Amino acid sequence: MPAHVTGRMVIRRYAHTDENASMEIWSRAGRTAHPFIPGEGEGERAREMREVHLVHAENWVAESNGRVVALLGLLDAEIGGLFVAPEAQGTGVGRRLVEHAAALHGSLTLEVYEKNTRARGFYARMGFVEESRRVDEEYDEVLLKLVRPAPETVRSGEAVGPV
């Protein structure tokens, strides 16, 4: 595990002061995950991320040793984006953010590009299943809608269904 993602991991609400670090993570992680999207991580997509998604979504960051290493954007119970710094991928940061989202919202949904096989594998391990698919007309790429039911909780020693 890289030195900068060991130690104490904190998940907290995004603050405006996280903008530059979050944009850098979004850009690097996005280019790695979506090499098939022209201009990913820059230009108009970066403007939209900065001016729309970081402003209007419910955003959370994972911080390790005082450094932001991941960003999660929520639109109610939909994960609008999960971006983990490439050097922090595989360390459990993404899993902790998804579990945080599930604790807040119960069942979750998201869309992921079919070609993003690494993310699809991660989401499958997290309990997401495909519900439907559609074509992203802007890029002519297939998007999969994935769903994950609310985790079962235990109260007074009895298992209960989704909250």
Side-chain angles (χ1 to χ4, degrees):
M1 187 179 305
H4 60 275
V5 292
T6 59
R8 186 162 180 241
M9 177 70 58
V10 174
I11 295 175
R12 62 173 175 77
R13 279 198 181 272
Y14 168 87
H16 183 68
T17 55
D18 299 319
E19 182 178 328
N20 289 338
S22 296
M23 286 298 297
E24 189 263 339
I25 289 166
W26 167 80
S27 179
R28 290 191 307 125
R31 283 193 310 268
T32 300
H34 308 138
F36 47 88
I37 301 294
E40 181 63 287
E42 59 189 29
E44 179 60 23
R45 289 179 64 86
R47 184 202 62 76
E48 183 179 336
M49 180 65 175
R50 190 179 301 275
E51 295 177 8
V52 177
H53 303 295
L54 289 180
V55 174
H56 298 292
E58 175 188 349
N59 294 299
W60 296 85
V61 295
E63 188 178 84
S64 178
N65 297 328
R67 180 173 176 250
V68 173
V69 296
L71 171 70
L72 171 77
L74 294 170
L75 306 164
D76 294 317
E78 178 182 357
I79 295 175
L82 173 60
F83 304 96
V84 178
E87 64 276 8
Q89 292 177 9
T91 65
V93 175
R95 174 176 295 279
R96 294 218 17 220
L97 282 166
V98 170
E99 294 299 350
H100 179 75
L104 293 172
H105 296 285
S107 64
L108 300 170
T109 64
L110 61 88
E111 284 189 317
V112 63
Y113 285 106
E114 182 177 44
K115 288 182 180 176
N116 189 349
T117 56
R118 184 167 184 185
R120 288 176 51 211
F122 167 76
Y123 290 124
R125 289 187 302 278
M126 294 296 301
F128 286 84
V129 295
E130 183 178 334
E131 180 179 86
S132 61
R133 49 183 60 211
R134 69 178 180 88
V135 174
D136 177 350
E137 293 181 11
E138 185 175 0
Y139 300 107
D140 196 32
E141 295 290 342
V142 175
L143 279 165
L144 308 178
K145 181 178 182 180
L146 306 181
V147 297
R148 176 183 161 176
E152 292 195 7
T153 58
V154 176
R155 293 189 188 135
S156 303
E158 295 181 27
V160 296
V163 183

